[in-house]
Amino acid sequence: MIKCAQGVLYLSVLVTFAACNAPPVPLDDILIEKTSVPEQCVRAVKVGDFVRYHYIGTFPDGNKFDSSYDRGSTYNVFVGKKQLIEGMDKALVGMCINERRLVKIPPQLAYGKQGYGDIIPPDSILHFDVLLLDVWNPEDGVQINTYHTPSVCSRKVEVSDYVRYHYNGTLLDGTLFDSSHTRMRTYDTYVGIGWLIAGMDQGLLGMCVGERRIITMPPSLGYGENGDGSDIPGQASLVFDVVLLDLHNPRDGITVTNQVVPESCTRKTVSGDYVRYHYNGSLLDGTFFDSSYSRNRTYDTYVGRGYVIAGMDEGLIGVCIGERRTITIPPHLGYGEEGTGTKIPGSAVLVFDVHIIDFHNPTDNTEITVTFKPDECDRQTKKGDFVKYHYNASLMDGTSIDSTSLYILGANQVVPGMEDGLMDMCVGERRHLVIPPHLGYGERGVTGEVPGSAVLVFDIELVEMEEGLPEGYMFIWNDEVSPDLFSEMDKNSDKEVEPSEFTDYIMRQVTEGKGRLAPGFDPYRIIDNMFSNQDRNGDGKITEAEFKLKADEAAAHDEL
């Protein structure tokens, strides 16, 4: 209900009725009532702007004479260029997007005394319920509002770059017309070479990975007078809320950054080396896709031979053991346009944070470094010698794996690389050994102790050694062999040598220094084997006919 002294807003004039029952004053100018005002108004209509709006036109009695809603299309027009009735030209100035106004226009600012055919009678006051949806100016360009900038930006989008980004596309009134998020797939394209609408081509330039910006463009830089034929009407301004996820150029190679190189680096990887390394793999926006750490196992491979993606093949060349580096790989050196189909999308730049654990080459031998050698060295170790030594064993990353002290050279009791490392060594000498896996524990390693294909490091000190026997012998005589050997063994003179007689005799010869058993082995097992070789018929005793010395044998035996 309207009360006394009620004010109403004209374009620029406030008119107050003198009394409640006074006769109505003729309408001299438009009357505007703002029925809905948006919270924010980033831009208001000015003379010369192009607008799109919906309206309902009625007479003062409420009868409708026109509606854009009924036609299913906004009214699109320039403001202040006499393309509208004068009252509407005035009423639209200053409106904000999504603002709603009830406009009353007197006849002299509408269709006057002539009216408009059979639709608008002469001298009609017209009411318009107006909702502004869009405004732009022919001089407008792309407007960019960056609302998030990453802390690190090593590179920005340039012409001919290939980008992957997510976006929400809306009209200026907020109506959503498209979204990459709903499709759960980035939009992937080249920038600046005409693959995009002109406004987006311009709006993406200069962006950093991780940056978020609002890109607003007039229809001349969007879909123009005709729209897209479906969700975007003609002459529509477009608003894109964009987050850039990826960026590369087809000319890009890999980049290696954030290198942490150990102080000591005597050797770097070359093509053909076998490398064990840990890695975390992510996309350029930080999205994690894989990690060797989560599997608790290094990734082991040859480099430079096509066993891994081309970018990694290149990025693992020239690294030191213990080095950490970040390898950034463009898609044409990674998984290409197709990606992996699951965790790695097509055309994705890959980022690997790599830690080199160890590497070797299949042609490597044991690397021997003498760290201490005594002044006096009467004798050096040879194959078959029994040695005592101390050692600490570790992996190349310093992980301790074992220590021990007894060993027989050439008896296959340790890995071949250790055999090599202990040869020609003096008592008291210390050595540093680096043993490649093919001379260590191989591809399988030792479950729970040594990973497969691991390079081993031994720091050893030779403590003691005992000369071994000639190859093929487990027992030798220090003196001349007795011509009555069988009779001496046959203590009860029954012409048969029992196992106990044989054992007692051999052990007595060793005790008296007349003979030697191979060092480092169980003496009784050696003697049992010697007895079995003499017991030709296997009846548990040796006769004089069966008994033969090694020199008399057609085939050699590890025996007398």
Side-chain angles (χ1 to χ4, degrees):
M1 178 179 293
I2 299 177
K3 299 182 179 179
C4 287
Q6 175 68 43
V8 289
L9 177 66
Y10 289 79
L11 182 64
S12 57
V13 180
L14 181 65
V15 178
T16 305
F17 292 107
C20 291
N21 297 322
V25 177
L27 197 60
D28 294 328
D29 204 345
I30 64 171
L31 179 67
I32 297 174
E33 180 182 352
K34 296 182 179 181
T35 57
S36 178
V37 179
E39 292 183 2
Q40 292 185 340
C41 181
V42 295
R43 177 171 178 175
V45 176
K46 295 183 294 186
V47 171
D49 284 344
F50 191 92
V51 295
R52 294 192 309 108
Y53 63 92
H54 269 307
Y55 71 89
I56 299 174
T58 61
F59 296 115
D61 61 1
N63 287 325
K64 181 170 65 174
F65 62 82
D66 193 13
S67 171
S68 62
Y69 297 98
D70 293 344
R71 293 193 299 275
S73 176
T74 55
Y75 197 81
N76 308 333
V77 69
F78 282 100
V79 175
K81 293 190 175 183
K82 297 184 179 181
Q83 295 180 1
L84 293 162
I85 57 175
E86 186 176 353
M88 186 62 79
D89 248 353
K90 289 184 174 184
L92 292 171
V93 173
M95 281 193 81
C96 302
I97 299 299
N98 289 326
E99 182 179 341
R100 189 170 182 176
R101 291 182 175 184
L102 180 59
V103 183
K104 298 180 181 179
I105 303 177
Q108 67 272 19
L109 298 178
Y111 292 98
K113 297 184 178 298
Q114 289 78 28
Y116 187 76
D118 296 332
I119 300 174
I120 309 292
D123 294 319
S124 294
I125 296 175
L126 305 180
H127 293 185
F128 288 92
D129 187 349
V130 179
L131 175 63
L132 186 67
L133 301 179
D134 200 344
V135 57
W136 55 271
N137 193 281
E139 296 181 359
D140 286 348
V142 172
Q143 300 175 42
I144 295 173
N145 175 28
T146 297
Y147 64 93
H148 174 74
T149 302
S151 57
V152 177
C153 180
S154 59
R155 177 173 177 178
K156 297 182 178 181
V157 177
E158 298 178 357
V159 171
S160 80
D161 282 343
Y162 193 89
V163 297
R164 296 192 309 110
Y165 62 93
H166 269 305
Y167 70 90
N168 285 322
T170 63
L171 304 180
L172 209 57
D173 66 341
T175 301
L176 181 72
F177 62 79
D178 192 16
S179 173
S180 64
H181 297 281
T182 59
R183 295 192 297 273
M184 298 183 68
R185 183 175 180 180
T186 55
Y187 195 84
D188 310 337
T189 185
Y190 287 98
V191 176
I193 61 172
W195 284 33
L196 292 162
I197 54 175
M200 188 62 83
D201 249 353
Q202 296 178 29
L204 291 171
L205 292 176
M207 282 194 81
C208 305
V209 171
E211 182 177 337
R212 295 174 181 267
R213 58 170 56 172
I214 304 292
I215 303 171
T216 305
M217 63 194 71
S220 60
L221 299 176
Y223 288 92
E225 295 182 4
N226 299 321
D228 70 345
S230 56
D231 298 315
I232 300 175
Q235 300 289 27
S237 300
L238 305 179
V239 180
F240 291 91
D241 189 342
V242 176
V243 55
L244 185 66
L245 302 182
D246 204 340
L247 158 67
H248 77 277
N249 194 284
R251 299 186 300 272
D252 287 348
I254 67 166
T255 57
V256 177
T257 56
N258 300 329
Q259 294 191 13
V260 177
V261 181
E263 293 182 3
S264 176
C265 180
T266 58
R267 174 177 169 183
K268 296 184 178 182
T269 53
V270 296
S271 181
D273 282 344
Y274 193 85
V275 182
R276 295 174 56 244
Y277 62 95
H278 270 304
Y279 70 88
N280 285 320
S282 63
L283 305 181
L284 205 57
D285 66 342
T287 302
F288 170 85
F289 63 79
D290 193 17
S291 173
S292 63
Y293 295 100
S294 63
R295 295 189 294 273
N296 197 30
R297 182 176 179 181
T298 57
Y299 193 86
D300 310 337
T301 186
Y302 287 99
V303 294
R305 293 185 175 181
Y307 283 71
V308 289
I309 56 175
M312 187 62 83
D313 235 2
E314 182 181 347
L316 291 172
I317 298 294
V319 291
C320 304
I321 291 173
E323 183 173 344
R324 296 175 184 266
R325 60 169 48 177
T326 299
I327 305 170
T328 304
I329 302 174
H332 54 275
L333 298 176
Y335 290 97
E337 296 181 4
E338 300 300 322
T340 63
T342 53
K343 295 183 178 180
I344 300 177
S347 299
V349 176
L350 308 178
V351 180
F352 290 92
D353 289 310
V354 173
H355 180 203
I356 305 301
I357 303 301
D358 72 26
F359 67 86
H360 72 280
N361 195 283
T363 61
D364 286 348
N365 295 314
T366 299
E367 179 184 316
I368 302 172
T369 303
V370 177
T371 57
F372 174 78
K373 194 160 188 174
D375 294 334
E376 295 184 7
C377 182
D378 297 331
R379 184 174 177 275
Q380 294 180 318
T381 54
K382 66 180 185 303
K383 188 175 181 180
D385 286 351
F386 179 69
V387 297
K388 293 183 180 180
Y389 64 97
H390 293 302
Y391 77 80
N392 289 318
S394 63
L395 304 179
M396 290 297 286
D397 63 356
T399 302
S400 179
I401 55 176
D402 196 13
S403 62
T404 191
S405 60
L406 301 177
Y407 170 62
I408 301 165
L409 278 173
N412 298 320
Q413 293 183 339
V414 293
V415 295
M418 181 63 85
E419 292 266 7
D420 298 337
L422 285 167
M423 291 291 184
D424 303 317
M425 197 171 181
C426 304
V427 172
E429 184 176 339
R430 291 192 289 268
R431 291 180 175 181
H432 179 79
L433 311 180
V434 179
I435 301 176
H438 53 275
L439 298 176
Y441 292 104
E443 295 182 6
R444 293 188 177 183
V446 178
T447 303
E449 296 182 35
V450 180
S453 298
V455 177
L456 307 177
V457 178
F458 290 88
D459 287 300
I460 62 175
E461 179 182 5
L462 186 62
V463 177
E464 185 180 329
M465 68 170 149
E466 181 179 346
E467 186 178 4
L469 302 188
E471 187 172 359
Y473 287 81
M474 298 300 286
F475 174 84
I476 62 171
W477 295 96
N478 292 330
D479 297 327
E480 292 293 327
V481 181
S482 171
D484 298 323
L485 188 59
F486 183 83
S487 298
E488 292 175 9
M489 288 183 182
D490 183 17
K491 293 183 69 174
N492 60 8
S493 302
D494 62 354
K495 305 301 183 182
E496 293 177 343
V497 175
E498 301 286 339
S500 59
E501 292 176 312
F502 188 86
T503 300
D504 290 344
Y505 182 81
I506 296 298
M507 290 301 293
R508 187 167 63 252
Q509 306 311 303
V510 172
T511 302
E512 295 175 357
K514 297 178 181 178
R516 289 182 62 211
L517 290 168
F521 294 92
D522 182 350
Y524 293 99
R525 292 189 64 181
I526 295 177
I527 295 171
D528 286 345
N529 185 58
M530 292 168 63
F531 182 88
S532 296
N533 288 337
Q534 294 292 335
D535 180 14
R536 316 291 170 170
N537 59 10
D539 63 354
K541 53 193 174 184
I542 304 171
T543 65
E544 191 168 7
E546 290 176 309
F547 187 78
K548 289 188 173 87
L549 293 176
K550 187 177 183 72
D552 300 328
E553 296 280 358
H557 293 289
D558 290 338
E559 53 177 47
L560 300 175

